[in-house]
Amino acid sequence: MRRILTVLSLILIICANTNFAQKKLGFEFDYARFKLDENSVYLELYYDIKEGDFTQVKADNGFLVKGNLHIEIVNKVSNQAVYNKDFPFEDKITDPNADIKGKNMLGVLGISVPKGEYTLKVVVEDYHDKANSKTITDNLLIVPFDEKTNAISDIQLSSRIIREDADKSSIFYKSGMEVTPNPAMLYTNQMPILHYYLELYNLAADNQGKAYKLVKTLFNSAGKKVTTSTKQIVPKLNATVEIGNINLAKFPTDNYTLEVALVDTVSKQAKITSKRIYLYNSNVAKESVSAGNVEYIGSEYSVMAEADCERMLDQIK
């Protein structure tokens, strides 16, 4: 009987040469760029730190976990840091029966960043075990949004968006709603609803009798369109917020790309923004692959970056 590889096995085999054996903190990070002014962009940074991966030290009436979140943004041309800050944190657990393995520290930071090309570096470190840390680096391009033509922000992925009775004191409160970020960019059959938030700019300023439509499309890792929808946009305000959701319950495990296009129906030109997401869905069968004849090059996992493999494996585990 032919053996069938599961998706998890496939990821393990393809990513076997990566550093999965190294101990790393459970830490996920994402960002989105929004309009600020003609010289700068408002950068929102989203983080999710798993406290259960930190060293637990005995303290009065319980135990303590302690760490630090370091964020650094360095201009590639001048090699100067425009942002360099530490955010120490700690959590004291007084309940002796408390289980913090699944406890996460979810947060958001807003930063004004001037035009330029940057290296973004984020480090989370266990205060009681310096070797227990994780570093994420990324290239960051900051281009201020044009004041005269229509524009679209980055997509913020969310696990939940509350419009009615939103808590104004919440750190996730903005535009009259609570937008809880999903820095892991992961959805599962237990959490299949992909929520998203983005902003549209200069609709009235660039209107001149134009009409717009917003086209939302989800592509799988092979570039195949799996779902799409279109919404007409009537420019009443110069800027507006767009929120929505997609139910991923019927789609198989894969990495997907959510693409949102703001289309000028007169010129037929579009401003496009996109975001990679990851779905682990054990309820939907994916085409099986024979262990005796695995064509890795034809698999979506063979072209995944190491960070993507690492992220998907960590979340599935």
Side-chain angles (χ1 to χ4, degrees):
M1 179 181 294
R2 296 192 309 172
R3 297 173 56 194
I4 304 301
L5 290 179
T6 64
V7 172
L8 177 57
S9 299
L10 186 58
I11 297 173
L12 285 168
I13 292 174
I14 295 173
C15 301
N17 293 325
T18 63
N19 296 323
F20 291 138
Q22 296 179 356
K23 181 180 180 182
K24 288 186 179 180
L25 292 176
F27 169 55
E28 301 297 343
F29 183 81
D30 193 20
Y31 67 84
R33 294 160 293 190
F34 300 97
K35 182 179 177 181
L36 184 59
D37 57 41
E38 61 183 8
N39 299 311
S40 304
V41 163
Y42 184 71
L43 179 70
E44 280 193 346
L45 308 171
Y46 316 108
Y47 60 87
D48 186 355
I49 302 172
K50 188 175 180 181
E51 292 188 29
D53 289 345
F54 284 75
T55 304
Q56 300 174 23
V57 176
K58 288 184 178 180
D60 295 338
N61 302 319
F63 56 88
L64 182 75
V65 294
K66 191 174 181 180
N68 183 65
L69 174 65
H70 175 78
I71 299 176
E72 187 176 325
I73 303 176
V74 178
N75 188 291
K76 288 188 174 183
V77 176
S78 66
N79 203 34
Q80 297 296 311
V82 298
Y83 192 85
N84 190 345
K85 194 169 182 178
D86 289 303
F87 296 90
F89 59 87
E90 63 179 49
D91 191 5
K92 188 174 182 180
I93 312 299
T94 57
D95 182 357
N97 298 316
D99 182 3
I100 67 169
K101 289 182 179 180
K103 187 175 181 181
N104 288 22
M105 185 173 70
L106 188 66
V108 58
L109 295 168
I111 304 170
S112 172
V113 184
K115 178 181 179 180
E117 293 186 45
Y118 300 90
T119 297
L120 171 63
K121 181 179 180 181
V122 185
V123 183
V124 63
E125 183 179 68
D126 187 339
Y127 180 84
H128 296 110
D129 181 3
K130 301 299 183 181
N132 190 24
S133 66
K134 185 173 181 179
T135 300
I136 296 176
T137 59
D138 200 357
N139 295 317
L140 176 64
L141 178 63
I142 298 295
V143 179
F145 293 87
D146 194 323
E147 297 287 341
K148 298 180 180 179
T149 60
N150 65 77
I152 186 169
S153 74
D154 285 340
I155 298 170
Q156 177 190 350
L157 295 178
S158 173
S159 58
R160 181 178 64 169
I161 296 179
I162 299 176
R163 301 185 67 177
E164 301 294 332
D165 301 320
D167 182 2
K168 294 183 179 180
S169 65
S170 169
I171 62 172
F172 304 131
Y173 183 84
K174 64 179 179 180
S175 303
M177 62 191 81
E178 283 182 79
V179 184
T180 304
N182 181 3
M185 298 177 276
L186 175 78
Y187 296 87
T188 69
N189 48 284
Q190 296 180 337
M191 189 182 76
I193 307 300
L194 183 163
H195 297 274
Y196 66 87
Y197 170 102
L198 54 86
E199 297 177 356
L200 309 176
Y201 309 119
N202 307 323
L203 299 181
D206 191 36
N207 188 17
Q208 299 177 349
K210 298 175 182 177
Y212 299 98
K213 63 180 179 181
L214 202 65
V215 182
K216 174 183 66 180
T217 308
L218 188 69
F219 297 92
N220 64 15
S221 60
K224 181 181 178 181
K225 184 187 301 182
V226 296
T227 184
T228 187
S229 64
T230 301
K231 175 182 178 180
Q232 299 299 317
I233 301 292
V234 179
K236 294 181 179 179
L237 299 174
N238 201 39
T240 187
V241 167
E242 180 68 23
I243 62 173
N245 61 75
I246 302 175
N247 190 340
L248 304 173
K250 63 181 179 181
F251 301 123
T253 297
D254 200 354
N255 59 85
Y256 295 84
T257 299
L258 172 61
E259 178 185 283
V260 180
L262 177 63
V263 182
D264 181 334
T265 58
V266 175
S267 68
K268 307 300 181 183
Q269 295 183 338
K271 302 293 177 62
I272 299 174
T273 186
S274 63
K275 179 75 74 171
R276 174 74 66 87
I277 68 165
Y278 306 89
L279 173 64
Y280 176 67
N281 190 355
S282 59
N283 292 337
V284 178
K286 191 173 178 65
E287 183 178 353
S288 60
V289 182
S290 170
N293 186 28
V294 178
E295 296 184 2
Y296 295 119
I297 295 178
S299 163
E300 67 268 23
Y301 303 106
S302 66
V303 295
M304 288 175 64
E306 177 180 340
D308 288 346
C309 285
E310 199 167 293
R311 183 195 302 273
M312 204 166 188
L313 178 66
D314 285 345
Q315 293 299 339
I316 290 172
K317 286 164 61 181

